[in-house]
Amino acid sequence: MDIVLTLLTIIMTAATPLLLAALGEMVTERSGVLNLGVEGMMVMGAVAGFGGAYVTGNPWLGILTSILAGMLMSLLFGFLTLTLLANQVATGLALTLLGLGLSALIGESFVGQPGIKLPTLSGIDPLVPFSLVMVAAVSWFMFRTKMGLVIRAVGNSHTSAHALGYNVIGVRYLSVLFGGAMSGIAGGYLSLVYTPQWVENMTSGRGWIALALVVFASWLPFRILAGAYLFGTISILSFVLQAQGLGIPSQFLSSLPYLGTILALVVISGNKALTRRNTPASLGQPFVPDR
Amino acid sequence: MRLEKRAERSSTMALASPFIAIALTIVTAGLIFALRGNSPLQALYVYFIEPLTAIWSVEQLLVKASPLILIGAGLAVAYRANVWNIGAEGQLTAGAILAGAVPVFLPQWQSPLTLAAMMVLGIAGGMAWAAIPAFLRNRFSANEILTSLMLVYVSQLLLDYLVRGPWRDPQGFNFPKSVTFAEGQLLPYVTSGIHAGVLVTFVVALVLGYIVSRTVKGYEITVTGLSPRAARFSGFSQSRTILFCMMLSGGLAGLAGAFEISSVVGQLQPQVSPGYGFAAIIVAFLGRLNPVGAIIAGLLLALSYIGGEAVQTALQIPDKITRVIQGILLFYILACDTLINYRIVFSVPALARA
């Protein structure tokens, strides 16, 4: 029984950063904006979270700084794609390249420093229940409130939403900022809970996996939850297999999450009916009000 | 302040925008140096000018530019067709692995054919690695951005496994490195600092430039990118374009990997590239998605690597600054490109005034 509980805890810890980032990106994409910079926002959240906790001595302030860092990065993305109408794919890549470089530069003096772990509440990392609550909250917000309907309308047909008098660019800015905040927390989770320290490139592709997760979950919050825990299980599988000492090279086990992501994308994208029903119709297209 | 669409795209701005972006990047870099407490002018001089004042560092620049140009030119063609191959770093690694297999398994083989075999295998490795996302996109409509990127991690882990495991040099004191390549397995040098691969790179970029602007294939690629519908009506197969673009950019990345290990690196080791595959994305955009433009852009990005090393040695500024400057540069290019199709108007919109 204890083993089951331990495994479950490990899976939850591995799944939570993916879940947080993917939830945020889902809202961004539902508004019609494809932000490929999740990895960059996440790694900036990680370095800012570590730095905030390191400087103030308070890990909760670290979480706050990680959110702010993610939001600042997403604001930069929003300014380029929404105000300057730059190509979203290219800008997202730029955000990732900049985030990885900037975090390495900022974190130079943090390497090897002892980290501060976010305290647990009666044995549970507070961000784990937070992420679960967010699944329900985001689902309720997107599908049960008027504001959620507006976001989906903007993402499905920005011209119609504009004609109805909704502020397309404003809604998109807010959705992008929410995505940034969630990616930021996800990064903060890595450097304050998962492995409380700063290591360069410590996100190691989790931002990209989160992006794939949104597609895999066909933009539905509860499927993101299921997908994140599935991925948590895959990455934990490698630890378990390694502990068994079966002589499988560790590099092969480490590549499982990446191969799993490819497999998941293939399985879900092959199902055209499912993807077409939920893909935001205006995804990736810039909006220019013609009147 | 708002944007107003130009009647037609400004060709002046299309040429000017990279230069505005470079100027803004240099100003921002100066600001970062100043914030760190360095003299900005001195640091900018060491970073951007000093490397150009000595023959050996100009040779260094050309050698570093070679993989960037080779990969960037291929990516430029792919991005033209809206084929988003962002896994060039993985294709480079796959090319390096296959090319490196020759010296690892046949350490004695040093005929004139050896290098040719290594280069062909390098191209084949890059192509094979790029064929996976192309196939998955064509067959299952799986997004090539995500699959090609995931494969970067997989190829790097594979290389890591090989040089720590079966391909490790038995006489290498347990270092994670393959055997050192023999004389006949290394590229010949045309000057003391420039290897033959650099020349090949320039030829390839020029040929690609010709293909893009003067041949039907190039036209097909450009039309597919600008209007997939028009391309379909013209009978251009989208899946064939995707496959072509992925194989071309992947093959060139693989060749760059083969060049690197048979010149600068001289063996296989866990890391064979300081992120050339990712920096080449910036090269493609800075070069206006034109293979010839990629030559100039590649030289500039190479300068950013060499300048980063220079400020580290001369002024103890961490060379991590390189990637920051590269990232900022791409942001400025994308922002300045807005000016090609839009002009900035500093006035209240007519409607609001009325």
Side-chain angles (χ1 to χ4, degrees):
Chain A
M1 192 57 217
D2 266 2
I3 291 209
V4 175
L5 207 63
T6 317
L7 281 181
L8 204 64
T9 320
I10 301 176
I11 291 171
M12 282 183 140
T13 353
T16 301
L18 297 176
L19 178 56
L20 289 168
L23 266 183
E25 177 67 15
M26 190 277 286
V27 173
T28 304
E29 290 190 14
R30 278 281 186 181
S31 80
V33 183
L34 178 65
N35 185 352
L36 290 179
V38 178
E39 181 86 1
M41 301 189 290
M42 209 169 172
V43 78
M44 283 300 284
V47 76
F50 185 94
Y54 183 74
V55 171
T56 62
N58 183 341
W60 293 100
L61 287 176
I63 292 289
L64 195 67
T65 46
S66 69
I67 296 176
L68 286 176
M71 287 177 87
L72 269 177
M73 291 291 280
S74 67
L75 190 63
L76 187 61
F77 174 85
F79 178 69
L80 255 88
T81 56
L82 301 175
T83 301
L84 295 182
L85 306 166
N87 179 315
Q88 293 180 10
V89 172
T91 311
L93 291 176
L95 199 66
T96 292
L97 292 174
L98 180 68
L100 289 171
L102 200 57
S103 62
L105 185 68
I106 295 172
E108 177 98 16
S109 56
F110 300 153
V111 176
Q113 298 292 339
I116 307 172
K117 195 175 187 305
L118 200 67
T120 54
L121 303 174
S122 46
I124 298 169
D125 288 319
L127 287 183
V128 173
F130 169 77
S131 68
L132 298 177
V133 170
M134 281 309 279
V135 173
V138 167
S139 179
W140 172 79
F141 177 79
M142 290 303 290
F143 299 102
R144 291 282 179 275
T145 68
K146 188 179 172 200
M147 195 54 209
L149 182 64
V150 171
I151 292 179
R152 287 184 290 134
V154 165
N156 274 322
S157 170
H158 44 214
T159 15
S160 320
H162 176 70
L164 287 171
Y166 293 112
N167 180 353
V168 172
I169 300 297
V171 168
R172 288 192 170 164
Y173 258 108
L174 291 177
S175 309
V176 165
L177 278 171
F178 179 75
M182 293 295 277
S183 287
I185 305 186
Y189 182 88
L190 291 176
S191 64
L192 293 165
V193 181
Y194 194 74
T195 45
Q197 53 179 327
W198 164 250
V199 185
E200 206 185 309
N201 294 344
M202 71 184 297
T203 42
S204 56
R206 283 190 182 83
W208 293 104
I209 296 182
L211 273 163
L213 209 52
V214 178
V215 180
F216 176 70
S218 46
W219 294 268
L220 294 170
F222 281 98
R223 285 201 197 151
I224 292 182
L225 175 70
Y229 276 77
L230 188 69
F231 274 90
T233 318
I234 295 179
S235 37
I236 237 55
L237 206 64
S238 45
F239 283 110
V240 175
L241 285 173
Q242 212 152 1
Q244 299 287 321
L246 297 175
I248 305 171
S250 68
Q251 292 92 344
F252 174 73
L253 298 172
S254 309
S255 68
L256 281 181
Y258 309 118
L259 293 171
T261 304
I262 296 175
L263 184 69
L265 278 172
V266 166
V267 168
I268 207 74
S269 309
N271 187 342
K272 297 251 165 44
L274 184 69
T275 32
R276 196 169 299 153
R277 192 162 60 235
N278 290 303
T279 314
S282 301
L283 188 59
Q285 291 164 16
F287 175 67
V288 193
D290 42 6
R291 273 189 297 255
Chain B
M1 183 194 120
R2 68 199 170 82
L3 296 174
E4 190 182 270
K5 199 160 173 65
R6 293 180 194 270
E8 52 188 294
R9 71 192 292 278
S10 154
S11 45
T12 327
M13 267 305 162
L15 277 176
S17 116
F19 294 98
I20 305 175
I22 293 167
L24 287 170
T25 306
I26 292 176
V27 171
T28 312
L31 271 174
I32 297 176
F33 290 133
L35 279 175
R36 291 185 44 89
N38 299 95
S39 149
L41 284 180
Q42 187 201 10
L44 286 177
Y45 176 80
V46 172
Y47 198 110
F48 291 103
I49 312 282
E50 205 170 48
L52 302 174
T53 55
I55 302 256
W56 68 268
S57 59
V58 172
E59 286 181 337
Q60 271 291 302
L61 185 79
L62 288 167
V63 168
K64 277 221 164 38
S66 166
L68 292 165
I69 296 171
L70 207 50
I71 306 171
L75 292 182
V77 177
Y79 294 170
R80 257 174 193 260
N82 272 337
V83 176
W84 296 103
N85 176 11
I86 61 167
E89 184 79 3
Q91 292 137 23
L92 181 155
T93 310
I97 291 175
L98 266 201
V102 173
V104 166
F105 287 109
L106 304 165
Q108 306 303 330
W109 187 34
Q110 296 191 49
S111 85
L113 278 176
T114 316
L115 271 173
M118 288 172 71
M119 297 310 129
V120 169
L121 281 172
I123 296 174
M127 279 186 159
W129 213 245
I132 303 171
F135 169 76
L136 297 180
R137 163 82 193 266
N138 285 336
R139 178 73 183 74
F140 303 101
S141 359
N143 184 318
E144 79 276 15
I145 300 177
L146 295 170
T147 50
S148 66
L149 189 99
M150 289 294 133
L151 287 169
V152 173
Y153 293 99
V154 177
S155 68
Q156 287 174 341
L157 285 162
L158 177 64
L159 175 61
D160 193 76
Y161 162 70
L162 290 172
V163 294
R164 284 176 206 280
W167 288 15
R168 192 176 55 197
D169 180 9
Q171 269 94 50
F173 305 102
N174 260 341
F175 280 112
K177 288 178 176 195
S178 76
V179 287
T180 316
F181 298 174
E183 185 67 36
Q185 296 158 339
L186 295 172
L187 289 169
Y189 274 73
V190 276
T191 71
S192 59
I194 298 175
H195 59 74
V198 178
L199 301 184
V200 177
T201 297
F202 280 91
V203 174
V204 168
L206 292 173
V207 169
L208 271 187
Y210 177 81
I211 292 178
V212 164
S213 59
R214 294 275 182 275
T215 66
V216 178
K217 191 75 202 171
Y219 178 69
E220 188 178 320
I221 288 167
T222 312
V223 171
T224 308
L226 288 177
S227 167
R229 265 169 72 84
R232 224 169 17 249
F233 288 136
S234 324
F236 299 151
S237 148
Q238 200 198 4
S239 52
R240 224 179 40 224
T241 307
I242 291 173
L243 187 66
F244 175 83
C245 289
M246 287 302 276
M247 299 293 261
L248 176 78
S249 50
L252 290 177
L255 181 61
F259 280 166
E260 283 301 291
I261 57 160
S262 59
S263 63
V264 184
V265 188
Q267 62 190 159
L268 284 177
Q269 55 187 43
Q271 206 193 10
V272 288
S273 141
Y276 287 139
F278 293 113
I281 298 173
I282 306 173
V283 171
F285 280 105
L286 185 63
R288 318 281 70 198
L289 300 189
N290 182 322
V292 180
I295 295 180
I296 303 164
L299 289 169
L300 191 86
L301 265 280
L303 180 62
S304 79
Y305 277 107
I306 294 185
E309 289 166 17
V311 290
Q312 184 164 37
T313 359
L315 305 167
Q316 286 77 49
I317 299 171
D319 67 351
K320 310 264 188 314
I321 192 92
T322 299
R323 283 155 71 203
V324 177
I325 289 177
Q326 291 174 349
I328 291 174
L329 176 62
L330 182 53
F331 262 106
Y332 279 132
I333 301 163
L334 295 170
C336 291
D337 277 357
T338 306
L339 297 173
I340 298 174
N341 288 314
Y342 297 88
R343 64 164 60 93
I344 299 171
V345 185
F346 295 95
S347 71
V348 192
L351 262 178
R353 256 188 316 222

